[in-house]
Amino acid sequence: MPETASVLFVCLGNICRSPLAEAALRHEAEAAGLDIEVDSAGTGSWHIGKGPDPRSCDEARRHGIDISAYRARQVTARDFARFDHIVALDASNLANLRRIAPAGHEARLSLLLDHVPGLEGQDVDDPYYGGPEGFETTWAQVSVAARNLVAELAPKRG
Ligand code: 4NP
């Protein structure tokens, strides 16, 4: 049996972008029959214990997914042992992850859009201070990346 892959998405607050990335990957993995562990966290601590931003809940609901029970948490040093892949939503959060990463950790760090050919190195911009259209853009980006991550993580056959 192949080992179950595990992926942690990390943004700043864990209330806007990374919950949508978590929802998208859960959804795509389920559709593909891929058994995978998925979670999300924030580098910041302001929203610990809070549910996702209502605009993220609305956006997920538009795609048939209920994320209202998700609760924000802060990334910890233990996450670097618990997850094989830690995927930051933007370069600033990736830099913060590198700063707190325990020496010798084996988690693979990447940017979410590194998993979308042609968009490598780009940020998923923070939609927090903008209008609802920003959440649509976030969904479009995280859902394409989630589909590609499923393809990357699916056990190779033959
Ligand atoms: P997120 O968005 O990182 O996508 O969850 C943010 C949510 C809240 C704040 C910043 C970004 N904030 O400063 O409170």
Side-chain angles (χ1 to χ4, degrees), residues 14 16 18 26 39-40 49-50 54 60 68 72 80 94 96 102 124 129 133 137 146:
N14 192 208
C16 295
S18 60
R26 285 186 188 284
D39 197 7
S40 64
K50 303 266 174 60
S68 60
F80 290 83
L94 182 59
N96 281 329
V124 174
Y129 294 104
E133 68 287 349
T137 303

Side-chain angles (χ1 to χ4, degrees), residues 55-143:
R55 296 164 295 175
S56 281
C57 289
D58 288 347
E59 186 58 32
R61 199 173 306 114
R62 267 193 281 283
H63 301 279
I65 304 171
D66 180 6
I67 64 168
S68 60
Y70 288 15
R71 290 294 173 265
R73 72 173 183 89
Q74 191 171 25
V75 70
T76 70
R78 267 187 303 160
D79 287 317
F80 290 83
R82 201 177 133 206
F83 292 92
D84 318 312
H85 299 270
I86 302 183
V87 181
L89 276 283
D90 64 29
S92 146
N93 285 297
L94 182 59
N96 281 329
L97 285 168
R98 293 200 195 288
R99 198 171 43 75
I100 63 168
H105 77 87
E106 292 186 359
R108 276 190 241 164
L109 303 188
S110 60
L111 275 177
L112 183 111
L113 290 178
D114 287 346
H115 301 277
V116 180
L119 297 184
E120 296 92 342
Q122 294 189 31
D123 290 345
V124 174
D125 289 328
D126 188 353
Y128 186 64
Y129 294 104
E133 68 287 349
F135 288 76
E136 269 183 61
T137 303
T138 300
W139 179 263
Q141 293 174 327
V142 301
S143 57

